[in-house]
Amino acid sequence: MSKIVVVTSGKGGVGKTTTSANIATGIALLGKKTIAIDFDVGLRNLDLIMGVERRVIYDLVNVIKGEAKLVQSIIRDKHIENLYMLPASQTRDKDALDPEGVGRVLEELKTLGFEYIICDSPAGIEKGAQMAMYFADEAIVVTNPEVSSVRDSDRVLGLLAAKTVRAEKGAEPIKTHLLLTRYSPAQVARGEMLSVGDVLEILGIPFLGVIPESKAVLQASNKGQPVILDEMTEVAQAYQDVVYRFIGEERPHR
Protein backbone atom coordinates (compact mmCIF):
# COMPACT_ATOMS: atom_id res chain seq x y z
CA MET A 1 0.00 0.00 0.00
CA SER A 2 1.34 3.42 -0.98
CA LYS A 3 1.71 6.26 1.49
CA ILE A 4 1.81 9.91 0.39
CA VAL A 5 3.85 12.06 2.77
CA VAL A 6 4.20 15.84 2.54
CA VAL A 7 7.20 17.59 4.08
CA THR A 8 5.93 21.07 4.83
CA SER A 9 6.34 24.30 6.79
CA GLY A 10 5.15 27.83 6.17
CA LYS A 11 8.57 29.39 6.54
CA GLY A 12 11.39 29.15 4.02
CA GLY A 13 14.89 28.01 4.91
CA VAL A 14 13.91 25.60 7.68
CA GLY A 15 15.20 22.48 5.92
CA LYS A 16 12.21 20.99 4.08
CA THR A 17 14.14 19.98 0.98
CA THR A 18 17.06 18.62 3.01
CA THR A 19 14.58 16.65 5.11
CA SER A 20 12.72 15.34 2.04
CA ALA A 21 15.95 14.09 0.47
CA ASN A 22 17.22 12.46 3.66
CA ILE A 23 13.97 10.81 4.69
CA ALA A 24 13.40 9.48 1.16
CA THR A 25 16.97 8.14 1.11
CA GLY A 26 16.67 6.61 4.56
CA ILE A 27 13.40 4.84 3.73
CA ALA A 28 14.84 3.53 0.44
CA LEU A 29 17.85 2.15 2.34
CA LEU A 30 15.39 0.07 4.36
CA GLY A 31 14.24 -1.63 1.16
CA LYS A 32 11.10 0.41 0.48
CA LYS A 33 10.49 1.66 -3.06
CA THR A 34 10.50 5.43 -2.54
CA ILE A 35 10.19 8.54 -4.68
CA ALA A 36 10.73 12.18 -3.71
CA ILE A 37 8.77 14.78 -5.70
CA ASP A 38 9.82 18.44 -5.87
CA PHE A 39 6.74 20.70 -5.81
CA ASP A 40 8.75 23.94 -5.78
CA VAL A 41 7.96 24.93 -9.37
CA GLY A 42 10.34 27.66 -10.57
CA LEU A 43 12.84 27.21 -7.73
CA ARG A 44 13.70 23.51 -7.72
CA ASN A 45 16.55 22.33 -5.50
CA LEU A 46 15.74 18.74 -4.58
CA ASP A 47 17.60 17.45 -7.65
CA LEU A 48 20.76 19.26 -6.49
CA ILE A 49 20.68 17.79 -2.98
CA MET A 50 20.07 14.31 -4.40
CA GLY A 51 22.85 14.73 -6.97
CA VAL A 52 20.76 14.17 -10.12
CA GLU A 53 20.55 17.70 -11.54
CA ARG A 54 22.48 16.76 -14.72
CA ARG A 55 20.02 13.96 -15.48
CA VAL A 56 16.85 16.09 -15.52
CA ILE A 57 15.15 15.96 -18.92
CA TYR A 58 11.45 16.11 -18.13
CA ASP A 59 9.71 17.28 -14.95
CA LEU A 60 6.47 17.19 -12.98
CA VAL A 61 4.81 19.93 -15.05
CA ASN A 62 5.73 18.16 -18.32
CA VAL A 63 3.87 15.10 -17.05
CA ILE A 64 0.83 17.07 -15.85
CA LYS A 65 0.59 18.92 -19.18
CA GLY A 66 0.92 15.70 -21.19
CA GLU A 67 4.26 16.74 -22.68
CA ALA A 68 6.06 13.66 -21.33
CA LYS A 69 5.22 10.32 -19.80
CA LEU A 70 5.77 9.80 -16.09
CA VAL A 71 8.26 6.98 -16.65
CA GLN A 72 10.33 9.33 -18.83
CA SER A 73 10.46 11.94 -16.07
CA ILE A 74 11.33 9.77 -13.07
CA ILE A 75 15.05 9.70 -12.25
CA ARG A 76 16.43 6.56 -10.64
CA ASP A 77 19.26 6.99 -8.16
CA LYS A 78 22.47 5.39 -9.44
CA HIS A 79 23.76 4.39 -6.01
CA ILE A 80 20.73 3.52 -3.89
CA GLU A 81 18.33 0.81 -4.94
CA ASN A 82 14.64 1.70 -4.55
CA LEU A 83 15.30 5.48 -4.58
CA TYR A 84 13.82 7.73 -7.27
CA MET A 85 12.92 11.38 -7.75
CA LEU A 86 10.63 13.53 -9.88
CA PRO A 87 11.95 17.08 -10.36
CA ALA A 88 10.01 20.34 -10.53
CA SER A 89 10.09 22.68 -13.50
CA GLN A 90 12.47 25.64 -13.42
CA THR A 91 10.71 27.56 -16.18
CA ARG A 92 7.00 27.40 -15.25
CA ASP A 93 5.13 28.91 -12.32
CA LYS A 94 3.03 27.26 -9.62
CA ASP A 95 -0.19 27.88 -11.57
CA ALA A 96 0.91 24.98 -13.78
CA LEU A 97 -0.09 22.65 -10.94
CA ASP A 98 -3.73 21.63 -10.61
CA PRO A 99 -5.46 19.05 -8.37
CA GLU A 100 -6.55 16.85 -11.25
CA GLY A 101 -3.07 16.67 -12.78
CA VAL A 102 -1.27 16.15 -9.47
CA GLY A 103 -3.78 13.48 -8.46
CA ARG A 104 -3.27 11.66 -11.74
CA VAL A 105 0.51 11.60 -11.27
CA LEU A 106 0.21 10.30 -7.70
CA GLU A 107 -2.20 7.54 -8.73
CA GLU A 108 0.16 6.44 -11.49
CA LEU A 109 3.06 6.34 -9.02
CA LYS A 110 0.97 4.04 -6.84
CA THR A 111 0.40 1.69 -9.79
CA LEU A 112 4.18 1.66 -10.37
CA GLY A 113 4.61 0.16 -6.90
CA PHE A 114 5.99 3.09 -4.92
CA GLU A 115 5.51 2.42 -1.22
CA TYR A 116 6.44 5.93 -0.09
CA ILE A 117 5.80 9.11 -2.09
CA ILE A 118 7.58 12.04 -0.41
CA CYS A 119 6.26 15.45 -1.50
CA ASP A 120 8.73 18.30 -0.94
CA SER A 121 6.61 21.40 -0.41
CA PRO A 122 7.69 24.92 -1.34
CA ALA A 123 7.71 27.62 1.33
CA GLY A 124 4.57 29.60 2.07
CA ILE A 125 0.91 28.65 2.02
CA GLU A 126 0.03 29.43 -1.59
CA LYS A 127 -0.86 27.10 -4.46
CA GLY A 128 2.38 25.10 -4.66
CA ALA A 129 2.32 24.28 -0.96
CA GLN A 130 -1.38 23.44 -1.05
CA MET A 131 -0.89 21.09 -4.03
CA ALA A 132 1.94 19.32 -2.18
CA MET A 133 -0.28 18.62 0.84
CA TYR A 134 -3.66 18.14 -0.87
CA PHE A 135 -3.48 14.34 -1.32
CA ALA A 136 -1.28 13.58 1.71
CA ASP A 137 -1.82 10.70 4.11
CA GLU A 138 0.82 11.96 6.53
CA ALA A 139 2.69 15.23 7.05
CA ILE A 140 6.11 16.00 8.47
CA VAL A 141 5.99 19.59 9.71
CA VAL A 142 9.51 21.00 9.77
CA THR A 143 10.21 23.91 12.08
CA ASN A 144 13.18 25.75 13.56
CA PRO A 145 13.29 26.63 17.28
CA GLU A 146 12.32 30.27 16.69
CA VAL A 147 9.01 32.03 17.22
CA SER A 148 8.34 33.02 13.58
CA SER A 149 8.99 29.50 12.31
CA VAL A 150 6.76 27.90 14.93
CA ARG A 151 3.96 30.38 14.23
CA ASP A 152 4.12 29.62 10.49
CA SER A 153 4.04 25.89 11.23
CA ASP A 154 0.90 26.40 13.29
CA ARG A 155 -0.70 28.07 10.28
CA VAL A 156 0.24 25.08 8.12
CA LEU A 157 -1.36 22.70 10.63
CA GLY A 158 -4.60 24.61 10.06
CA LEU A 159 -4.34 24.05 6.30
CA LEU A 160 -3.60 20.35 6.79
CA ALA A 161 -6.79 20.10 8.83
CA ALA A 162 -8.97 21.98 6.33
CA LYS A 163 -7.56 22.14 2.78
CA THR A 164 -6.93 18.51 1.83
CA VAL A 165 -8.81 15.63 0.23
CA ARG A 166 -9.17 13.95 3.61
CA ALA A 167 -10.68 17.10 5.12
CA GLU A 168 -13.08 17.56 2.20
CA LYS A 169 -14.29 13.97 2.45
CA GLY A 170 -14.57 14.04 6.23
CA ALA A 171 -12.11 11.14 6.38
CA GLU A 172 -9.54 10.38 9.04
CA PRO A 173 -7.29 13.46 9.45
CA ILE A 174 -3.78 13.57 8.05
CA LYS A 175 -1.33 12.09 10.54
CA THR A 176 1.10 14.85 11.52
CA HIS A 177 4.66 14.65 12.84
CA LEU A 178 6.87 17.45 14.17
CA LEU A 179 10.53 17.62 13.16
CA LEU A 180 12.68 20.25 14.85
CA THR A 181 15.69 21.25 12.72
CA ARG A 182 18.78 23.45 13.11
CA TYR A 183 18.70 22.93 16.87
CA SER A 184 21.54 24.20 19.07
CA PRO A 185 21.46 23.17 22.76
CA ALA A 186 24.00 25.88 23.60
CA GLN A 187 21.75 28.61 22.17
CA VAL A 188 18.74 27.14 23.96
CA ALA A 189 20.70 27.27 27.23
CA ARG A 190 21.46 30.97 26.60
CA GLY A 191 17.80 31.68 25.90
CA GLU A 192 18.45 32.45 22.22
CA MET A 193 16.26 29.60 20.92
CA LEU A 194 13.05 27.92 21.97
CA SER A 195 13.51 24.58 23.72
CA VAL A 196 12.01 21.31 22.48
CA GLY A 197 9.44 21.56 25.26
CA ASP A 198 8.47 25.10 24.22
CA VAL A 199 7.86 24.07 20.60
CA LEU A 200 5.91 20.95 21.57
CA GLU A 201 3.72 22.98 23.92
CA ILE A 202 2.87 25.48 21.16
CA LEU A 203 2.22 23.04 18.31
CA GLY A 204 0.96 20.02 20.23
CA ILE A 205 1.56 17.34 17.60
CA PRO A 206 3.51 14.05 17.84
CA PHE A 207 7.27 14.57 18.01
CA LEU A 208 9.45 12.88 15.41
CA GLY A 209 12.82 14.17 16.54
CA VAL A 210 15.53 16.83 16.55
CA ILE A 211 18.06 17.52 13.80
CA PRO A 212 21.05 19.44 15.20
CA GLU A 213 22.61 22.45 13.52
CA SER A 214 25.56 21.07 11.54
CA LYS A 215 28.03 22.19 8.87
CA ALA A 216 27.83 18.65 7.51
CA VAL A 217 24.41 19.44 6.00
CA LEU A 218 25.79 22.21 3.79
CA GLN A 219 28.85 20.15 2.86
CA ALA A 220 26.67 17.21 1.84
CA SER A 221 24.32 19.45 -0.17
CA ASN A 222 27.26 20.95 -2.06
CA LYS A 223 28.40 17.42 -2.94
CA GLY A 224 24.93 16.44 -4.12
CA GLN A 225 24.63 13.74 -1.49
CA PRO A 226 22.03 13.45 1.29
CA VAL A 227 23.81 13.87 4.62
CA ILE A 228 22.21 10.68 6.01
CA LEU A 229 24.81 8.75 3.98
CA ASP A 230 27.64 10.31 6.02
CA GLU A 231 27.01 7.90 8.88
CA MET A 232 29.78 9.18 11.15
CA THR A 233 28.13 12.58 11.62
CA GLU A 234 25.68 13.38 14.41
CA VAL A 235 23.19 14.85 11.94
CA ALA A 236 23.16 11.65 9.84
CA GLN A 237 22.47 9.57 12.93
CA ALA A 238 19.66 11.95 13.87
CA TYR A 239 18.05 11.54 10.45
CA GLN A 240 18.43 7.75 10.71
CA ASP A 241 16.59 7.81 14.04
CA VAL A 242 13.84 9.97 12.51
CA VAL A 243 13.38 7.53 9.63
CA TYR A 244 13.03 4.57 11.99
CA ARG A 245 10.54 6.46 14.17
CA PHE A 246 8.57 7.51 11.11
CA ILE A 247 8.08 3.93 9.92
CA GLY A 248 6.97 2.92 13.41
CA GLU A 249 10.07 1.68 15.24
CA GLU A 250 10.94 2.90 18.73
CA ARG A 251 14.13 4.92 18.98
CA PRO A 252 15.25 6.84 22.07
CA HIS A 253 15.72 10.59 21.55
CA ARG A 254 19.37 11.53 21.67
Side-chain angles (χ1 to χ4, degrees):
M1 184 176 174
S2 300
K3 187 174 289 186
I4 299 171
V5 182
V6 62
V7 178
T8 185
S9 173
K11 196 172 188 296
V14 299
K16 289 185 296 296
T17 299
T18 296
T19 294
S20 297
N22 282 285
I23 286 182
T25 301
I27 293 174
L29 287 169
L30 296 176
K32 312 288 187 184
K33 190 175 181 183
T34 306
I35 187 166
I37 307 176
D38 192 343
F39 275 83
D40 201 353
V41 176
L43 293 170
R44 73 175 185 222
N45 282 312
L46 186 59
D47 57 316
L48 289 170
I49 292 177
M50 296 184 74
V52 298
E53 72 279 3
R54 294 181 181 177
R55 298 170 58 203
V56 175
I57 300 173
Y58 298 111
D59 56 56
L60 174 60
V61 174
N62 291 140
V63 179
I64 289 174
K65 298 296 184 183
E67 298 161 356
K69 293 180 179 179
L70 181 59
V71 291
Q72 294 175 303
S73 307
I74 292 172
I75 302 171
R76 183 173 186 170
D77 193 279
K78 288 183 175 180
H79 309 291
I80 300 168
E81 193 176 1
N82 298 311
L83 181 60
Y84 301 76
M85 85 149 298
L86 178 58
S89 171
Q90 272 190 311
T91 57
R92 311 287 183 97
D93 61 35
K94 293 174 178 61
D95 288 334
L97 301 177
D98 64 83
E100 183 183 349
V102 171
R104 196 169 57 245
V105 169
L106 294 173
E107 285 303 314
E108 190 172 347
L109 288 171
K110 290 179 181 180
T111 66
L112 292 172
F114 284 99
E115 296 171 81
Y116 284 87
I117 301 168
I118 310 296
C119 302
D120 178 29
S121 173
I125 57 173
E126 303 306 324
K127 189 169 185 179
Q130 291 188 22
M131 284 297 96
M133 71 173 63
Y134 188 64
F135 295 95
D137 300 308
E138 298 194 28
I140 297 173
V141 179
V142 182
T143 189
N144 293 157
E146 56 183 69
V147 173
S148 62
S149 180
V150 173
R151 183 177 63 182
D152 288 352
S153 293
D154 193 42
R155 179 79 174 92
V156 165
L157 288 173
L159 292 177
L160 288 166
K163 300 288 186 180
T164 64
V165 169
R166 284 175 175 253
E168 290 174 2
K169 291 182 176 179
E172 186 180 345
I174 291 173
K175 186 177 180 181
T176 54
H177 311 265
L178 174 64
L179 182 65
L180 193 56
T181 56
R182 307 191 69 175
Y183 191 79
S184 168
Q187 286 184 271
V188 172
R190 293 196 297 268
E192 297 168 2
M193 278 185 176
L194 297 174
S195 69
V196 173
D198 293 334
V199 177
L200 288 173
E201 186 176 345
I202 295 167
L203 295 179
I205 61 174
F207 185 46
L208 200 55
V210 170
I211 305 299
E213 180 71 86
S214 174
K215 293 179 181 178
V217 174
L218 179 60
Q219 292 166 351
S221 296
N222 287 339
K223 289 191 293 185
Q225 175 179 296
V227 73
I228 197 170
L229 298 174
D230 191 2
E231 296 181 1
M232 299 305 293
T233 63
E234 186 180 36
V235 68
Q237 293 161 13
Y239 268 121
Q240 288 168 2
D241 286 349
V242 163
V243 167
Y244 277 107
R245 289 190 202 107
F246 181 71
I247 65 169
E249 292 192 23
E250 292 290 330
R251 283 287 172 111
H253 289 279
R254 294 174 187 267

